[in-house]
Amino acid sequence: MPDSVFTVTDLKSGYDDKPVLQGVDFEVRPGEILAITGRNGVGKSTLMKTLIGLIPVKEGTLHFRGEAVQHLPAHKRARLGIGYVPQGRDVFPRMTVSENLTVGAMAVRRPDPGDLQRIFEYFPILAEKLNQKAGVLSGGQQQQLAIARALVARPQLLLMDEPSEGIQPNVAQDIARIMLRLRQDMGLSIVLVEQNVDMICSVAERVYVMEKGRIVAKFEPEGRLEPDVLRGYLAI
Amino acid sequence: METGYLAFAMVMQFADAFAFLVLAACGLAIVFGMMGIVNLAHGEFIMCGAYVTVAAVHAGVPLPLAIAIGAIASALAGMVVEFACIRHLYGRPLDSIVLTWGISLVVTQTTLITLGSNMPSIGTPYGSFAVGPYSYSVYRLVLFGSALAVLAGLYIVFNWTRFGIAARATMQVPHMAAASGLDTRRIYSWTFAIGAGLAGLAGGLYAPTMTLVPTMGTSFMTEAFVTVVVGGADVILGTAPAAAILAIIKAGMTYWKGQLFGQIGLLIAVIVVIRILPKGISGFLTRQ
Ligand SMILES: Nc1ncnc2c1ncn2[C@@H]1O[C@H](COP(=O)(O)OP(=O)(O)O)[C@@H](O)[C@H]1O
Ligand SMILES: [Mg+2]
């Protein structure tokens, strides 16, 4: 096994008239949860969209399990095993929960029916709402659906963009616990973009801080991440 | 008894109008609903289907097979057009209107120059039947049945097949469809081909009932357009109920005052619907 699942080197990207990422470097190790934080507008979501392939890479390289993927379109990166849970969840609103999961599973050639059962162990609420339209679910339920939709494709790397945003604190805690279980059960690596310090500290080992399209600080303590320490660190 | 015969005549009028609206509109509705493209060349795909069907019948092919050939020819033409032109303009709806309008003009004129101003017609098959004092062409029932079959087929495709689910996902949140592993470009090109194929099917089905001229698409296009505007972006929740409502208006007005008033009734209905339901019937039914 390589000691990096995902390697990002000197990544630059942005929008037509607006460069955003100014050269981002980092590495994700197998089974690691790496948190990336930073204020609104620093380019965290742009980074995630560039990693999954929704925004083209202008410069730099992306290696997923040793393979260069920066020129692949999003659907090919998804099929290789990169899952994406976007900010704002973006479930398919006028499709049922079950159909949303069917779409998620389309990235794998031969879906295993057992996969769905395993996912319902993490998210039992989805099993109860299979035939409801995703658009009528609560924010927390939509968040769970968005994660489940990515998981049915059996990814090795999960990109999660602010999963705690706009949902109740206890649901956010549930999601944090599920992330830890996913890593335990599947060896999943996760890049977690998050501004919620408690969530970061309950799952991540390392935290990178972004500012103006760059990673400006790396917080990699020896022991556990402590919320108060991280808060103090971010306040500087 | 007399009123019974009359009522049946009314029902047949409605069935005619409904079938025409559904068959003319569903290809346009799919391309608009799934891709956000107003395909002003829709009428020319209808013409393509009609011409190919008639040519096949003249070559000795039985009518049902000839219609299928017409629909497939039109779908292939749609694929070519999508590959050569449409795909370069995704996300630019105004440009794609100008583009498809241009295609429409070029195709109409080219047909006029190469095939002349009309094609020898093939006549309506299957004879007729009488109910009381009135006589009806059996083919009118074929058309109505075809419209219902197309709606049922679309319902099945878009709800029960892998392609249909992928296509709806692509329509609702394109970037997440892509990030879920779907090749959205391919889905768009198949969708456009299906839209063109349905247009060709409409042309083939109506070919035996009309004189084929290069501008024949226009007569379909007006009513297709009206139906899509009233129905909104969803074929099942929009086009079908819109066609039913418009068919009642059109059949009623036609019966009351003749063809012209049938057309006027449609246009008034559109204006009223745009005022009340700017996103059409399906926009109203799927509101959140
Ligand atoms: N679609 C877009 N087009 C142009 N600029 C955008 C777009 N989306 C975001 N931006 C800009 O890019 C910058 C980074 O945004 P984003 O990556 O969403 O930040 P974050 O997720 O860290 O809050 C912001 O200045 C934002 O205004
Ligand atoms: Mg963001």
Side-chain angles (χ1 to χ4, degrees):
Chain A
M1 199 168 227
D3 53 349
S4 156
V5 178
F6 197 50
T7 310
V8 178
T9 314
D10 193 29
L11 183 67
K12 293 182 184 152
S13 82
Y15 305 93
D16 287 341
D17 46 350
K18 183 174 166 124
V20 177
L21 301 184
Q22 316 274 358
V24 171
D25 295 87
F26 65 87
E27 240 181 49
V28 187
R29 300 168 197 153
E32 160 179 60
I33 300 179
L34 169 67
I36 293 177
T37 191
R39 283 176 235 287
N40 284 333
V42 299
K44 303 182 298 300
S45 295
T46 305
L47 172 63
M48 298 298 250
K49 286 180 200 162
T50 312
L51 298 183
I52 187 63
L54 296 174
I55 299 177
V57 170
K58 280 214 185 80
E59 247 177 75
T61 57
L62 302 173
H63 285 85
F64 178 59
R65 305 167 78 215
E67 183 182 346
V69 298
Q70 67 270 14
H71 298 302
L72 296 182
H75 70 272
K76 292 206 171 138
R77 295 190 206 177
R79 289 178 195 175
L80 281 179
I82 305 179
Y84 174 53
V85 182
Q87 183 169 19
R89 307 175 272 270
D90 288 344
V91 293
F92 304 113
R94 293 184 304 285
M95 295 171 75
T96 63
V97 167
S98 162
E99 288 171 331
N100 269 268
L101 295 174
T102 304
V103 174
M106 284 180 182
V108 273
R109 280 204 183 285
R110 231 181 272 270
D112 173 357
D115 280 357
L116 217 50
Q117 285 316 311
R118 250 162 283 155
I119 297 235
F120 293 148
E121 285 169 23
Y122 298 109
F123 306 108
I125 187 75
L126 296 181
E128 291 167 29
K129 309 240 169 196
L130 271 186
N131 294 316
Q132 293 200 13
K133 294 270 192 275
V136 304
L137 300 182
S138 74
Q141 290 163 355
Q142 289 190 7
Q143 187 61 257
Q144 298 184 47
L145 177 58
I147 299 171
R149 176 181 62 188
L151 289 177
V152 285
R154 276 187 254 142
Q156 268 118 35
L157 173 71
L158 194 59
L159 308 172
M160 299 178 78
D161 197 349
E162 308 224 20
S164 78
E165 188 191 49
I167 62 177
Q168 293 175 353
N170 62 323
V171 181
Q173 279 166 18
D174 286 346
I175 288 175
R177 269 195 292 274
I178 289 165
M179 288 167 68
L180 291 172
R181 277 175 65 197
L182 288 170
R183 168 177 52 189
Q184 182 88 37
D185 300 351
M186 312 184 182
L188 190 65
S189 307
I190 301 176
V191 178
L192 170 68
V193 162
E194 199 34 273
Q195 300 194 57
N196 176 335
V197 168
D198 293 316
M199 178 147 200
I200 292 174
C201 290
S202 53
V203 299
E205 289 87 35
R206 306 193 288 149
V207 188
Y208 286 5
V209 184
M210 273 184 81
E211 218 166 89
K212 292 189 190 148
R214 284 199 172 82
I215 290 176
V216 294
K218 302 184 172 183
F219 191 57
E220 304 171 284
E222 288 292 320
R224 259 179 59 86
L225 274 175
E226 294 298 339
D228 291 337
V229 181
L230 180 59
R231 268 193 200 95
Y233 188 83
L234 292 178
I236 300 166
Chain B
M1 235 27 232
E2 272 305 310
T3 49
Y5 296 145
L6 219 58
F8 186 78
M10 283 291 293
V11 170
M12 285 298 287
Q13 281 263 0
F14 167 80
D16 286 346
F18 179 77
F20 187 77
L21 292 166
V22 166
L23 291 168
C26 58
L28 187 70
I30 284 180
V31 170
F32 173 63
M34 306 297 267
M35 306 168 67
I37 289 176
V38 178
N39 178 16
L40 289 186
H42 179 70
E44 280 54 54
F45 287 112
I46 293 178
M47 176 196 66
C48 168
Y51 270 66
V52 172
T53 300
V54 168
V57 168
H58 284 313
V61 177
L63 182 64
L65 187 60
I67 293 173
I69 294 173
I72 291 168
S74 194
L76 291 176
M79 267 184 174
V80 172
V81 168
E82 195 277 340
F83 183 80
C85 312
I86 305 284
R87 71 167 43 183
H88 306 290
L89 297 181
Y90 286 140
R92 291 160 61 184
L94 286 178
D95 295 347
S96 65
I97 288 180
V98 176
L99 171 72
T100 53
W101 187 40
I103 293 171
S104 156
L105 295 176
V106 169
V107 170
T108 309
Q109 293 306 315
T110 309
T111 311
L112 183 63
I113 293 165
T114 55
L115 298 178
S117 59
N118 66 19
M119 282 269 270
S121 52
I122 53 178
T124 314
Y126 308 138
S128 60
F129 64 100
V131 175
Y134 306 103
S135 162
Y136 305 94
S137 152
V138 173
Y139 198 68
R140 289 166 71 179
L141 297 179
V142 172
L143 291 172
F144 184 61
S146 303
L148 294 181
V150 164
L151 287 176
L154 288 175
Y155 182 83
I156 289 169
V157 166
F158 283 107
N159 286 287
W160 296 350
T161 67
R162 244 177 102 82
F163 170 79
I165 291 174
R168 278 163 58 220
T170 303
M171 165 187 166
Q172 292 181 21
V173 193
H175 64 273
M176 279 318 295
S180 303
L182 300 181
D183 186 348
T184 51
R185 257 175 182 261
R186 243 181 61 203
I187 290 169
Y188 285 136
S189 60
W190 277 107
T191 306
F192 196 81
I194 291 174
L198 287 169
L201 178 68
L205 282 167
Y206 282 95
T209 69
M210 52 186 16
T211 318
L212 270 54
V213 295
T215 52
M216 65 180 282
T218 319
S219 56
F220 287 84
M221 193 58 187
T222 319
E223 305 212 3
F225 213 89
V226 167
T227 311
V228 172
V229 169
V230 171
D234 190 301
V235 177
I236 302 299
L237 289 176
T239 309
I245 292 168
L246 292 173
I248 291 172
I249 294 170
K250 188 182 167 197
M253 295 285 279
T254 305
Y255 177 77
W256 180 46
K257 285 269 180 182
Q259 287 274 329
L260 177 64
F261 277 74
Q263 297 286 337
I264 293 172
L266 287 187
L267 295 179
I268 292 174
V270 178
I271 294 165
V272 172
V273 169
I274 293 177
R275 299 295 303 196
I276 307 172
L277 306 173
K279 290 195 158 186
I281 294 172
S282 63
F284 174 73
L285 291 176
T286 59
R287 73 199 181 283
Q288 268 154 13

